[in-house]
Amino acid sequence: MEVLNFAKHVILTVFTLVFMPLSFLISPAEGYEAKNPNELKTSFTVLSDIHIEGNNFQTFKEYSEILNDVNSAKDNDTLVFLGDNTMNGQHIESIFFFSALRFTKPADNLIIAPGNHDYGNGNGGYDEFYDRFKGYANFAGCKIEENNYYKIIDGYYFIVLTSESDSVNGIDISDNQLQWLTSVLDEASKENKPAFVFCHHPVNYIEDGSDDRLSGVLDDYENVIFFCGHTHFALSERSVSEVNGVLSVNIPKSTEHAVEGYEPGIGAVVEVYENNVLLRFRDFDDGKWVEGYEYNFEF
């Protein structure tokens, strides 16, 4: 096992060196900052559905450009990925995705959720794929011990939900995980601060068809914002909405897309202040804010 781990580290180092010349081909981003940096409590960036694919150079190039812009932020404490980080969960894809994070260090904290493409995509082998995902995530600096987990960053709860099988179109979430979520939200609610829940699938995409099992738990708590991906929906008025009573933010697929007119490189920048949360969408490919997509939530 030690030999295998050493071999993986050598391979990751080699691909990090491969990533370096590519990063130098990308012009440095101008940089951006929070609306009110002096009042900022914490800030984070949310991306989804990177879908790194071993034979798709364009996706890897766009991913590099996105990280370049994220890295230019003057105020960004945490970078969050909402799953489908890879196309097939293969070693080669994981090496590209995670070694880029290890090399660029785009934020002090990493939150990485898995998606159906990371853990089998309905083809079996969930445990093997998830162990692989955790191993690479830990190498990149996102320490994951359990499949569903939370981190407290700057006093705020960042909670990750994970499907418990290789389900494709919904999260397979057990009563045990829902009980765990309830206990974590109980603790978070004592702080009287917003809590952030991250899941690859939307809140009403439940594997067993009971689309209120998860939202029924979340709806019991105030000041919860739920972030998801999976759908690949383009940015629109439905990207930020209430779903089953839960304030939900659906992040578009962040890299290239086959649909004409789809704008790649979109993600969210979240700024947390004393009494409100400001959410802005940014085009990380072009290094600019998306006009008309700014939301202010008062707590």
Side-chain angles (χ1 to χ4, degrees), residues 8-43:
K8 287 182 179 179
H9 285 203
V10 170
I11 294 171
L12 281 165
T13 302
V14 169
F15 273 88
T16 298
L17 295 175
V18 171
F19 175 78
M20 289 176 66
L22 176 61
S23 66
F24 291 133
L25 294 176
I26 300 171
S27 300
E30 292 184 3
Y32 56 95
E33 63 181 2
K35 277 288 188 72
N36 301 298
N38 293 332
E39 301 174 16
L40 194 66
K41 298 300 182 182
T42 194
S43 61

Side-chain angles (χ1 to χ4, degrees), residues 167-212:
S167 58
V168 175
N169 291 318
I171 180 174
D172 180 5
I173 189 165
S174 67
D175 289 340
N176 284 339
Q177 187 171 172
L178 292 176
Q179 291 169 5
W180 170 86
L181 174 61
T182 298
S183 67
V184 175
L185 288 173
D186 283 344
E187 289 298 316
S189 64
K190 295 177 182 178
E191 301 296 326
N192 198 29
K193 296 177 179 179
F196 308 103
V197 180
F198 307 99
C199 181
H200 179 64
H201 292 92
V203 70
N204 58 336
Y205 280 41
I206 305 298
E207 180 69 10
D208 66 3
S210 304
D211 70 356
D212 61 347

Side-chain angles (χ1 to χ4, degrees), residues 203 219 237-249:
V203 70
D219 193 32
E237 65 278 358
R238 66 179 174 180
S239 297
V240 179
S241 62
E242 276 202 8
V243 179
N244 288 3
V246 177
L247 177 57
S248 298
V249 181

Side-chain angles (χ1 to χ4, degrees), residues 217-231:
V217 172
L218 295 171
D219 193 32
D220 285 340
Y221 298 88
E222 297 180 352
N223 303 349
V224 172
I225 305 180
F226 182 89
F227 293 84
C228 63
H230 182 68
T231 63

Side-chain angles (χ1 to χ4, degrees), residues 32 43-47 66 70 73 75-81 106-107 111 158 198 267-270 282 284:
Y32 56 95
S43 61
F44 58 95
T45 299
V46 189
L47 302 167
I66 290 169
V70 171
D75 311 288
N76 184 47
D77 300 303
T78 305
L79 177 57
V80 181
F81 291 93
I111 300 287
F158 290 67
F198 307 99
V269 175
V270 184
R282 184 170 177 84
F284 293 97

Side-chain angles (χ1 to χ4, degrees), residues 79-83 85 97-98 101 109-115 118-119 126-127 129-151 153 158-163 177 180 198:
L79 177 57
V80 181
F81 291 93
L82 295 177
N85 310 293
F97 179 82
F98 290 103
L101 292 177
N109 305 287
L110 286 175
I111 300 287
I112 307 177
D118 299 308
Y119 50 63
Y126 173 86
D127 291 337
F129 278 108
Y130 197 89
D131 286 345
R132 180 182 301 174
F133 163 80
K134 283 197 295 187
Y136 282 112
N138 288 335
F139 180 84
C142 177
K143 303 302 181 184
I144 302 175
E145 296 181 358
E146 302 294 337
N147 290 15
N148 45 283
Y149 65 96
Y150 72 94
K151 297 183 180 182
I153 299 172
F158 290 67
I159 305 166
V160 175
L161 304 179
T162 301
S163 183
Q177 187 171 172
W180 170 86
F198 307 99

